[in-house]
Structures are given as C-alpha cells and as structure tokens.
C-alpha cells in the first residue's frame, strides 16, 4: 500500500507540473489572459486554475492583472493573468551564412535586446563561428536584470540538424559536416545550460504558426531563402520533422533534369534555379553580395525580365509543394520576401499554372507576419520549451545573474 501511495503521489506531482507548464504556455502565447479563459481552455476547475496561477506567481513568472473578458450583464469579470517584466528569458540565435543575429527574448516573445555581427562563415571553422556567437550572447545579457533567470539558448542553422541531439549533419553553405555547434557555443561561454538547435526554415514555420501570419492556421509551409532553399512544414498544428529531423529539404527536389549540377551531388535541383547564387547570377549581383541577396533585391524599384522569369520558376516549384502538402498558407521568408514583393504576380501565375485545382483553391501565398525575425523568434520558442515541460525543474536549474558568469 505504501508503494502504491508513493506511486500515486509521484504521478499526481507529474500531472501538476504538466498542468503548470501548459498554463504557462497559454499565458506565453497570449501575454494577458483571464482565469476564466484558462479554465475553459484546460478543462480544469476554477480552484485548480487558481492554485496553478498562484504557484506561477510564487515562481516570479506571472502576476495578477486587471480583469479581462468582462461582458455587460455577465457578472463580475474574471481576474487576469499576465507575464511579469522580470521573468525568465532565453537567448535566440539566427545563424546565417554571413552574419549572426542574437537576441535576449522574454516570455511572450518580447525581444528585450538584440545585436548582430558578420561571421567568418564558410571561410572559418565552426569553433570560430561559435566564438563569434558567444561574444554576441555576452553582449545581449550584459544589461539583463540580475534577478531574471536564463533558462536556455536556441540556435537556428541553415542545414540538416539531427533531431535527437542537435548535431549539424550538413550545412553546405557553411561547409560544416557533423558539427556539435551547441557544445561549441557552450564551451566558448563556459556555461552548462540547455541548448536547442534546429533548421532555420523549421523554426521560421514554428514562429509564424504561433505568432505571425499563421496564427490559427494548422497547415502551413514556411519557405526560406537563405543562400540555399528549405521549408518548414506545419501539418495538423504540428511540425513535420521526419524520422531524423531532416524533412523539408525542398531545395533539392529534382526540378530541371537538364539543369545545372547542385552542390548536393544531384542535377537540376530547384535550388539551382531559385537559390541565391542562381538569382545573383541572373541579375549580375557581385559574388560577395550573394549572402545579402534580400537587401540587394529590396533595392530594385521594378523587376527585370530575369526576375520575372525567376518568379515564374518559383511559382512552378511552389506548385509541387502545394500539391504534396495541401497547405492553407505558404509563407515566403528570407530573400523570397523581397522577390515576392517585386514579382508576386509572376509567382502567383506560376503556381496556378502547375498546381492541381483542388489544393490551389485553399492556399494563400503571403509574406512573414514577423518580418525578418521569424527564424530568430522560432529559435527563442524552442529554447523556452524545457520551461513549458516543467517550470519548477527548469527554473530550479536556470542561471540567475548570468552576467557575472560571462564577465570576461
């Protein structure tokens, strides 16, 4: 009997912590929400919600707010719950081919501090890139509140990332093979905290689904142009990762059998048609500006003939994706943002020319609701995940006043 009671107690504690994390996730998504809404969303009674809210308040994560959701004639409005200004934060890292963007991000997806700098990229070793990223992390935590705990680091990488352990199997434009980049960054910082690494397009899809153009849409694809071409897929409200975490490499779908050799070893991949190098060549963009293709395209007042042709090809490739996944929304990120602004009509026409009528009827092409921050905020979201799984455990091991640990 004593063992049964012990087991029951352990199970009840696990359920309580799960509910605590779920409630915090809801507040994180909303920023400010009523207890009545939480009761309805979680299917728990009011007293249980009150206990959970009280525990989050004692942990310094949430605080009471003015009542929300009041209706005329509906009686006393429900008390509100909101995130504190001094709660935990994470570090989000958007690692590109030529630069890294690093931000300190609080609960609610609030960017509290950000910085960016060029990186050595393909001309340097992964440890050199890691040292550059570590220096940027030190910069953004320098003025963090001493009482605010750092709960994790999230890093986006333009390449194939193994889901089980975050190993970067291949990042061709960085010339990386089997790199444990998370460990490199932690070693450069001298810290031991949770670090999550994922593909940039996957993180863009996650952020747009939760906070951007795809809020409320459970089937969407984020197409990323970051020198190479990739996609993050949300289907049924969940990220499509594949067996190893490598799903979404749409840039290496066979597009033109008579096309150019691709760095992946195949011939005529879609990336050889709409990748940054291909577009840069078409518009006579200097080789040293390829990594800034989005900025180059944003400087065009009107599209050229070559860009119109590229837009059509982009639409043709998107048609294959729409036919395969039947999304409601396709979000065009990276340098595709600027390209779509210039040649949106050609992209739409190319899509309509090749897509099947049925999936075409339900899909919309759009720009990211989060602008250039989709991937950065996606990295922050995965860094927060341990906090939502078990807030008590995550805060118990979080680093407080990390500034002194990183000094020097």
């Amino acid at each position: 009997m004593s063992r049964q009671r012990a087991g029951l107690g352990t199970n009840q504690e696990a359920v309580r912590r799960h509910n605590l994390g779920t409630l915090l996730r809801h507040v994180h998504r909303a920023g400010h929400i009523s207890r009545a809404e939480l009761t309805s969303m979680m299917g728990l009674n009011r007293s249980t919600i009150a206990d959970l809210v009280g525990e989050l308040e004692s942990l310094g994560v949430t605080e009471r707010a003015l009542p929300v959701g009041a209706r005329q004639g509906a009686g006393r409005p429900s008390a509100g719950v909101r995130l504190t200004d001094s709660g935990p934060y994470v570090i989000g890292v958007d690692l590109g081919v030529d630069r890294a963007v690093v931000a300190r991000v609080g609960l609610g997806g609030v960017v509290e501090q950000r910085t960016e700098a060029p990186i050595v990229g393909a001309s340097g070793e992964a440890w050199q890139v890691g040292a550059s990223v570590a220096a940027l992390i030190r910069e953004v935590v320098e003025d963090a509140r001493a009482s605010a705990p750092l709960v994790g680091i999230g890093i986006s990488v333009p390449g194939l990332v193994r889901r089980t352990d975050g190993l970067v199997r291949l990042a061709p434009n960085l010339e990386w093979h089997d790199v444990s980049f998370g460990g490199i960054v932690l070693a450069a910082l001298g810290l031991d905290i949770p670090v999550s690494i994922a593909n940039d397009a996957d993180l863009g899809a996650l952020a747009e689904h939760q906070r951007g153009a795809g809020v409320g849409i459970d089937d969407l694809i984020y197409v990323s142009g970051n020198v190479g071409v990739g996609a993050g897929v949300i289907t049924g409200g969940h990220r499509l990762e594949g067996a190893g975490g490598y799903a979404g490499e749409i840039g290496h779908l066979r597009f033109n059998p008579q096309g150019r050799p691709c760095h992946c070893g195949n011939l005529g991949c879609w990336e050889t048609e709409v990748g940054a190098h291909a577009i840069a060549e078409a518009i006579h963009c200097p080789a040293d500006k390829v990594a800034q293709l989005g900025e180059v395209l944003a400087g065009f007042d009107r599209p050229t003939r070559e860009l119109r042709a590229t837009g059509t090809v982009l639409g043709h490739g998107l048609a294959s994706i729409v036919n395969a996944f039947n999304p409601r929304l396709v979000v065009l990120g990276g340098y595709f943002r600027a390209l779509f602004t210039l040649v949106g009509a050609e992209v739409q026409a190319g899509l309509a020319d090749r897509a099947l009528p049925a999936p075409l009827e339900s899909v919309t092409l759009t720009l990211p609701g989060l602008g250039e921050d989709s991937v950065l905020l996606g990295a922050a979201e995965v860094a927060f995940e341990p906090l939502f799984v078990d807030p008590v455990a995550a805060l118990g091991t979080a680093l407080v006043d990390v500034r002194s640990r990183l000094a020097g």
Side-chain angles (χ1 to χ4, degrees), residues 32 51 63 91 141 206 250 266 278 288 316 389:
H32 186 183
D51 290 343
E63 62 187 9
I91 300 299
V141 303
L206 174 66
I250 60 171
N266 289 326
D288 62 350
H316 288 167
V389 171

Side-chain angles (χ1 to χ4, degrees), residues 305-369:
R305 177 173 56 86
E306 291 81 8
L307 285 176
R308 293 184 188 279
T310 299
T312 300
V313 172
L314 175 58
H316 288 167
L318 291 175
S320 297
I321 302 165
V322 168
N323 290 342
F325 294 103
N326 186 206
R328 280 186 56 198
L329 195 68
V330 175
V331 183
L332 297 168
Y335 59 76
F336 289 131
R337 292 171 57 220
L339 181 64
F340 187 66
T341 300
L342 286 167
V343 294
E346 286 77 8
V347 178
Q348 297 278 9
L351 172 65
D353 182 52
R354 298 285 179 88
L356 295 171
L360 180 63
E361 290 173 358
S362 58
V363 71
T364 299
L365 305 184
T366 190
L367 298 177

